[in-house]
Amino acid sequence: MANDKTIWEFLKSQGLNDYGAAGLMGNLYAESGLSPTNLQNTYNNKFGMTDDEYTAAVDAGRYGNFVHDSAGYGLAQWTFWSRKQGLYDYAKSTGRSIGDLTMQLEFLFQELSSGYKSVLSTLKSATSVLQASNSVLLQFERPADQSVSVQNKRASYGQNYYNQFAGAAQEGGSVGMSNSPLVEYTKISPNRSSPRKNAIDRISIHCVVGQCSIQSLGSIFAPSSRQASSNYGIGYDGRVGMYVEEKDRSWCTSSAANDNRAVTIEVASDTTDPYAVTDAAYAGLLNLVTDICKRNGKNKVVWFGDKAKTLAYTPKSNEMVLTVHRWFANKACPGNYLYNLHPQIVAEVNRRLAGGSVDTGTAVSYQVKVTADAGLNCRTAPINGTVIMAYEKGTILNISKEQSGWGFTGTGWVSLEWTEKIASTTPVTEDDEDMTLDTFKKLMNEYRAELRDNDCGDWSKAARDWATSTGLFAGSGNLPDGTPNYMWADMLTREQAAQLFYNFAQKNGLA
């Protein structure tokens, strides 16, 4: 039985719902490829051992620094010394290998049940793969890079497992209705009918009549008195929100018959005719429509631009038909801006469905310094994207992609015209990380973990013996061999120094 099926069945047996199991598996795949013997890639060469050799050495006792070597290991890439100690102790207590799959799954749930109860609760009640995935990513794994792109990437891994295992359980054994991995925010509206009565073969695009965020749109659909909702929403910045799962019918087009067949999408827009949308929102719409088609087994989008012809048409099994709200109610929705773009939407999405690539930029790796006196805007997309933030003059930026004279910083796009190139770097790999504050904290913790033992020089023996015999130093916990851990080489904080002097003063009647 393959690891993925074993893991899925174990997670489900622990009470996780389908979204939770998929979201957790997506993160475990990103960390270890679902291999319980996986040693962090950069440490294979450093230790001169393969994954299996490292595992065997730890099991046999030939390698005794498992807890403090700072190397990520196993399904969840346990790295910090206390968590590796817990894993090691649990393996020994159960008489199994440190690389045993079931043992690691049991230990994983031991951690979730004791120190990460909010994560476990989310995994049991999640309403989307992204919600579950982000809970694991941001609260349990906590890698240095927690950017939206990483969130989406891990959620996409999870969505694959959802489609494979939860989807396969649907009627007829075919892939069931899933939700988009592009979702970055979820707020399920009470205004829905569950489940929808028809298979999905339509998409209805709407305009919000307001340049709002996905969070604001969620608040709009939250009151039951609103009596309206949509499956998805796209904010002015191109981000995607979900308010009704695809398996359920939203209340969006003033037509129950259409809503039961359609995935509905509200797009942030201007408040006046023609209700234009931002470039970022339009790009997000193209991505979402493409994703909806792919997950629902459609490789062709159809637009007739005529109500009677559309409603009389029976789509082929591979077709997704576009409908609009104005056909079912006296409304301008989706506004002339989006309505007139429907032929262009169809052409672009069909190009992508046929295997055409999306121009996301050319991969590069170098640094630039901002030269603009007034600072440099960072946008969601080149040229006309929404401004996310501004970089001050002199800021050093890492550029990972180029497109039409613009560079991607990891956060967004900047015009390279207002920068100067200062360094070339080697290509970035998955093991490379920018030195963010989170990265620094992680490395510092790993460095300090190496100092937290009783390694020390002979020159200090008399002083150490006196300090421990008088109770001046009490240590912190025990080492694996049972001896007190005095952490002699670790750093001394001012708080600890104050306690040290106070202990000394008390013993000499000075305090």
Side-chain angles (χ1 to χ4, degrees), residues 32-68:
S32 64
L34 301 188
S35 170
T37 60
N38 182 256
L39 174 64
Q40 186 176 344
N41 295 343
T42 53
Y43 282 82
N44 289 116
N45 290 333
K46 182 176 180 180
F47 294 161
M49 289 187 280
T50 65
D51 294 353
D52 290 341
E53 289 170 344
Y54 178 83
T55 301
V58 174
D59 286 341
R62 297 192 303 273
Y63 180 75
N65 199 34
F66 174 78
V67 172
H68 294 286

Side-chain angles (χ1 to χ4, degrees), residues 407-422:
F408 187 68
T409 68
T411 300
W413 294 85
V414 297
S415 172
L416 297 176
E417 180 180 356
W418 303 101
T419 67
E420 62 180 13
K421 191 172 181 180
I422 61 173

Side-chain angles (χ1 to χ4, degrees), residues 129-144:
V129 173
L130 182 70
Q131 180 190 12
S133 178
N134 279 353
S135 179
V136 177
L137 172 69
L138 303 178
Q139 299 178 58
F140 182 77
E141 290 292 354
R142 301 178 187 175

Side-chain angles (χ1 to χ4, degrees), residues 263-285:
V263 175
T264 56
I265 308 169
E266 290 276 1
V267 186
S269 70
D270 290 345
T271 57
T272 57
D273 185 65
Y275 305 102
V277 305
T278 65
D279 290 345
Y282 182 64
L285 175 63

Side-chain angles (χ1 to χ4, degrees), residues 50 60 153 158 167-169 175 197 203 234 254 257 267 272 277 294 299 311 350 352 362 497:
T50 65
K153 185 175 183 180
V175 175
K197 296 180 180 180
I203 293 176
I234 299 177
S254 305
V267 186
T272 57
V277 305
K294 286 182 176 180
N299 59 19
L311 300 186
N350 282 339
R352 297 182 185 187
T362 303

Side-chain angles (χ1 to χ4, degrees), residues 4 41 81 91 98 157 269 291 296 300 372 393 433 459 482:
D4 55 359
N41 295 343
W81 75 270
I98 196 71
Y157 295 151
S269 70
D291 169 68
N296 286 280
K300 183 180 180 181
K393 182 179 181 180
E433 295 176 337
W459 60 270

